[in-house]
Amino acid sequence: MIFAPKILNWYREHQRELPWRETREPYKVWLSEIILQQTRVAQGMPYYYSFVEAFPTVFDLANAPEEQVLKLWQGLGYYSRARNLHAAAKMVVNDFNGEFPKTYKALKSLKGVGDYTASAIASFCFDEPEPVVDGNVYRVLSRYFGVDIPINSTQGIKYFKELAREVMDERNIRDYNQGIMEFGAIQCAPKKPYCLLCPLQDSCVALKENKVDSLPVKQNKTKVRNRYFNYLVLLDQNENTILEQRRGKGIWQNLYQFPLIESEKKLQAEALKPLIKEKEDVPELESLSLYNNEPIVHKLSHQHLHTQFWILKTSHILEQGTQWNEIGNFPVPVLIADFIKTLKI
DNA sequence: AATTCGGGGAA
DNA sequence: TTCCCAGAATT
């Protein structure tokens, strides 16, 4: 038997029951696909449920304030997905009369919908014979066919998309596409795949040539940048504090945080004081104390954030401040949320 | 073509 | 620790 039927047979035996597999509504499928980009099913699942509940239709999502969308997204990471999700919902409402586009090409015009996601929605909802190529598919194809072209090279991206197209089952594209991804996630796993029980063992090149552990090939190691964050946690007599929204480029766009002073290295209090004076909207201080003696190292894919939280008490009233017991309403990075949880005032 | 976007879970 | 997850957009 050839490749695709084996995938289909395996899928019909082993597929998980997932909420977005029980529908062909493009809105829900799209929602699930954005949430699941670079995200494990187990991590994305609760977010899927909360989004469907908060925004049952694309109109509800389009009409929501961005802050509500970001708040619901909090903790999931890659926040441009949330901003693009919101923008795409507005596009569907305004440019497509509230109805999702039905083709790969039109779907790809939506913000945050790239090659994979457009293929997924088009095939899952509308049976368009377009192959999905995600991390799972790269792994399955590279192993089964013994392809050692780097999956993240320009050549590799093109090669695997063509290969995926050649071996797909056009007439069962919905199940086939979900099947090959599910197969990669469960059977042909990144580490220690259970090849002894694999239905493709007879014809898998990687297994035959003992290359399972070395495929797929990936180039470009990520280099990590170290940054030093000093957060100024202001507190006045009325338990008001100051939160600012992150603007411009970089991490955590449009999320909130305490006023930040970034430095080249770890700072002591004496070195920080003159920098605080240069900050606007910081009143005269009654006391300055370091909350965490050792910097908290918050690790992102490309950055390690060495963070110190400084407690700044003032006898002045923070006119533009936020009540401490209301800061939970703001979308904040996990780094900030974790700190808020542990601080007692 | 390379980099930059988060956070968490598994080995 | 390291790897990588139902990738996309920007540089």
Side-chain angles (χ1 to χ4, degrees):
Chain A
M1 213 185 330
I2 51 175
F3 182 74
K6 289 183 177 174
I7 291 291
L8 269 174
N9 286 342
W10 179 92
Y11 181 61
R12 286 172 179 145
E13 290 266 327
H14 297 92
Q15 64 176 285
R16 292 168 289 183
E17 287 186 13
L18 301 173
W20 46 86
R21 282 187 181 155
E22 297 169 4
T23 180
R24 280 181 183 259
E25 286 178 62
Y27 171 65
K28 290 183 179 173
V29 172
W30 163 71
L31 193 52
S32 75
E33 292 303 337
I34 303 299
I35 287 173
L36 292 174
Q37 285 169 9
Q38 293 294 287
T39 304
R40 292 171 191 284
V41 166
Q43 189 188 0
M45 187 81 77
Y47 288 85
Y48 174 79
Y49 283 123
S50 64
F51 267 82
V52 169
E53 184 178 355
F55 312 119
T57 72
V58 70
F59 297 97
D60 300 311
L61 178 55
N63 292 330
E66 184 185 82
E67 242 178 71
Q68 188 191 357
V69 179
L70 286 173
K71 185 63 192 177
L72 281 172
W73 201 271
Q74 181 178 309
L76 198 53
Y78 285 167
Y79 296 91
S80 67
R81 290 184 293 169
R83 297 190 301 272
N84 288 336
L85 184 84
H86 194 214
K90 290 178 184 292
M91 289 173 73
V92 170
V93 169
N94 297 325
D95 304 343
F96 293 94
N97 199 24
E99 194 170 341
F100 263 81
K102 293 178 165 50
T103 65
Y104 166 84
K105 189 177 176 187
L107 285 161
K108 208 164 174 296
S109 72
L110 297 174
K111 281 217 170 197
V113 176
D115 183 81
Y116 162 77
T117 304
S119 302
I121 302 170
S123 62
F124 298 168
C125 300
F126 306 110
D127 296 304
E128 183 173 341
E130 192 68 26
V132 293
V133 184
D134 74 334
N136 295 306
V137 175
Y138 279 121
R139 186 167 54 255
V140 173
L141 293 180
S142 66
R143 285 176 176 169
Y144 183 78
F145 293 101
V147 182
D148 59 4
I149 305 171
I151 61 172
N152 52 351
S153 65
T154 303
Q155 186 197 3
I157 292 167
K158 190 177 174 188
Y159 182 90
F160 280 100
K161 177 87 177 180
E162 288 177 10
L163 177 57
R165 191 181 299 284
E166 286 171 17
V167 301
M168 70 182 177
D169 183 344
E170 290 189 38
R171 281 152 214 84
N172 299 285
I173 194 66
R174 175 182 156 94
D175 283 349
Y176 169 79
N177 271 345
Q178 302 210 42
I180 188 171
M181 288 193 288
E182 189 84 333
F183 182 80
I186 294 175
Q187 176 71 34
C188 193
K191 291 168 187 173
K192 298 190 175 180
Y194 208 50
C195 300
L196 292 178
L197 276 183
C198 181
L200 299 179
Q201 58 180 219
D202 289 341
S203 37
C204 177
V205 173
L207 180 60
K208 188 176 190 176
E209 299 181 1
N210 198 21
K211 291 180 179 171
V212 173
D213 289 333
S214 60
L215 290 174
V217 173
K218 219 170 173 180
Q219 65 185 19
N220 303 341
K221 292 173 193 169
T222 65
K223 40 194 171 192
V224 174
R225 175 163 67 117
N226 285 298
R227 303 176 71 179
Y228 299 86
F229 280 11
N230 296 276
Y231 279 120
L232 309 182
V233 184
L234 285 148
L235 288 172
D236 71 6
Q237 307 283 346
N238 297 336
E239 295 191 354
N240 282 327
T241 189
I242 302 282
L243 286 180
E244 299 174 342
Q245 195 171 20
R246 288 185 69 96
R247 296 298 191 177
K249 298 171 188 277
I251 58 174
W252 301 335
Q253 273 177 52
N254 296 6
L255 273 66
Y256 287 81
Q257 63 181 9
F258 299 105
L260 171 65
I261 293 177
E262 183 170 1
S263 51
E264 293 300 315
K265 56 185 177 63
K266 178 181 171 183
L267 292 185
Q268 310 292 347
E270 292 311 313
L272 183 65
K273 278 178 182 171
L275 300 177
I276 294 176
K277 285 199 191 304
E278 297 171 12
K279 271 295 243 200
E280 295 175 22
D281 299 336
V282 176
E284 196 174 333
L285 300 179
E286 195 176 287
S287 67
L288 167 67
S289 64
L290 179 57
Y291 177 73
N292 55 317
N293 238 327
E294 263 324 287
I296 296 167
V297 185
H298 188 73
K299 295 180 177 179
L300 309 178
S301 304
H302 294 76
Q303 302 181 26
H304 287 182
L305 308 176
H306 303 257
T307 307
Q308 300 191 121
F309 290 93
W310 301 85
I311 311 297
L312 284 65
K313 293 195 173 167
T314 177
S315 52
H316 293 62
I317 300 300
L318 299 170
E319 299 287 355
Q320 324 237 352
T322 306
Q323 270 296 117
W324 185 265
N325 57 22
E326 289 176 357
I327 59 179
N329 298 328
F330 292 83
V332 297
V334 166
L335 172 63
I336 301 294
D338 286 347
F339 167 76
I340 292 171
K341 265 186 269 176
T342 61
L343 181 66
K344 308 290 182 202
I345 63 168

